[in-house]
């Protein structure tokens, strides 16, 4: 059976996309903890030279040989190689890509920085920055909510990598955002509940090390 390692940390919604997909497809995988907020190896030459020149997580290593980065690339690879959560045919492939790009730029693209600034940035951000990001978040989530009023999943009746990508940031606790996406967007709330029912679904803090914040723990046990 193929073995995967995932460079990640608990608070990373980008890495959670990959962790969730690995779990949903029933893959054999282990997390490699990146001390993102502490020693910050992702900023150093060793990480950029040997792990990911972009200085980011997620990074997936396949059977100790092949390395992939960018969650969209990782999701596409895993779907193609397992046939699971795979968009089928050119039209579906392009439609999934369309929503994954929208997610990377417009939903997670604003939710990620908003949550980071609100919880962990030092010094604390200017209120005007958060206000700007929140306005973009509200508008972009409304687009996703409208889409999900028409069908149970983003491409229609069946869940695909577009759902895995788009949902990841939305499973983090509402307190970390300071607003409740579920309350404001009922079709998104119902869709998140459907995704939670998929076999293999698990919360980000149960899949990736680094929670509680400042530790390298995964479900109470240290991970290196
Ligand atoms: N588009 C990338 C985004 C990856 C990303 O920005 N990851 C964050 C952690 S959540 C990171 O490593 N940031 C480091 C940096 O931007 O310097 C993906 O989907 O994988």
């Amino acid at each position: 059976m193929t073995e995967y390692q995932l460079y990640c940390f608990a608070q990373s919604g980008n890495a959670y996309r990959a962790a969730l997909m690995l779990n949903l497809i029933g893959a054999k995988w282990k997390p490699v903890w990146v001390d993102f907020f502490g020693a910050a190896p992702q900023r150093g030459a060793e990480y950029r030279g040997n792990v990911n020149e972009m200085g980011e997580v997620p990074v997936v290593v396949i059977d100790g040989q092949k390395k992939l980065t960018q969650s969209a690339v990782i999701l596409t690879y895993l779907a193609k190689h397992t046939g699971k959560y795979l968009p089928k045919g050119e039209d579906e492939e392009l439609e999934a890509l369309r929503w994954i790009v929208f997610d990377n730029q417009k939903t997670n693209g604003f939710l990620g920085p908003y949550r980071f600034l609100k919880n962990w940035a030092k010094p604390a951000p200017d209120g005007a920055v958060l206000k700007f990001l929140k306005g973009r978040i509200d508008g972009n989530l409304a687009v996703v909510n409208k889409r999900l009023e028409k069908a149970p999943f983003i491409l229609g009746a069946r869940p695909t990598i577009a759902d895995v990508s788009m949902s990841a940031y939305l499973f983090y606790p509402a307190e970390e955002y300071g607003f409740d996406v579920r309350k404001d967007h009922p079709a998104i709330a119902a869709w998140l509940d459907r995704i939670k029912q998929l076999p293999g679904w698990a919360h980000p803090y149960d899949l990736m090390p680094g929670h509680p914040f400042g530790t390298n723990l995964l479900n109470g046990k240290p991970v290196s």
Side-chain angles (χ1 to χ4, degrees), residues 9 12-14 17 36 48 55-58 70-72 104 169:
F9 59 94
S12 170
N14 290 301
R17 293 197 189 102
F36 192 84
R48 292 192 181 216
E56 294 178 340
V57 302
Q70 290 293 338
S71 61
N104 272 245
Y169 266 87

Side-chain angles (χ1 to χ4, degrees), residues 9 11-17 34 36-37 42-43 47-48 52 54-59 69-74 100 103-105 108 112 115-116 165 169:
F9 59 94
Q11 293 77 16
S12 170
N14 290 301
Y16 177 52
R17 293 197 189 102
V34 176
F36 192 84
F37 299 102
Q42 75 281 359
R43 296 202 190 120
Y47 191 94
R48 292 192 181 216
N52 182 3
M54 295 175 184
E56 294 178 340
V57 302
V59 177
T69 89
Q70 290 293 338
S71 61
V73 172
I74 295 165
I100 289 172
D103 171 37
N104 272 245
Q105 189 195 355
N108 137 55
R115 178 168 155 267
F116 175 80
S165 182
Y169 266 87

Side-chain angles (χ1 to χ4, degrees), residues 77-215:
Y77 176 92
L78 293 173
K80 277 195 172 164
H81 282 256
T82 61
K84 295 178 182 169
Y85 298 93
L86 180 69
K88 291 188 179 139
E90 188 180 52
D91 285 351
E92 269 199 16
E93 275 173 24
L94 293 174
E95 190 61 0
L97 182 59
R98 191 163 81 97
W99 285 97
I100 289 172
V101 171
F102 185 81
D103 171 37
N104 272 245
Q105 189 195 355
K106 296 283 188 67
T107 55
N108 137 55
F110 290 103
L111 276 169
Y114 184 93
R115 178 168 155 267
F116 175 80
L117 289 171
K118 189 168 180 310
N119 292 282
W120 303 297
K122 288 193 184 99
D126 189 318
V129 175
L130 288 180
K131 198 169 164 209
F132 167 78
L133 292 174
K134 179 66 168 53
R136 300 296 286 159
I137 289 167
D138 289 343
N140 297 329
L141 287 177
V143 171
V144 178
N145 192 71
K146 197 161 177 206
R147 173 77 173 193
L148 291 166
E149 282 170 354
K150 294 185 209 138
F153 295 101
I154 290 177
L155 296 197
R158 194 169 53 79
T160 66
I161 52 174
D163 300 282
V164 178
S165 182
M166 186 71 81
S167 64
Y169 266 87
L170 303 174
F171 285 117
Y172 284 94
E175 310 83 69
E176 291 182 1
Y177 292 107
F179 55 85
D180 190 348
V181 171
R182 286 171 166 271
K183 208 163 116 274
D184 298 340
H185 304 282
I188 288 182
W191 165 72
L192 290 175
D193 288 340
R194 283 190 284 278
I195 294 175
K196 273 175 105 167
Q197 297 308 312
L198 298 172
W201 183 87
H203 190 276
Y205 291 153
D206 292 330
L207 278 187
M208 301 183 295
H211 182 76
F213 186 79
T215 71

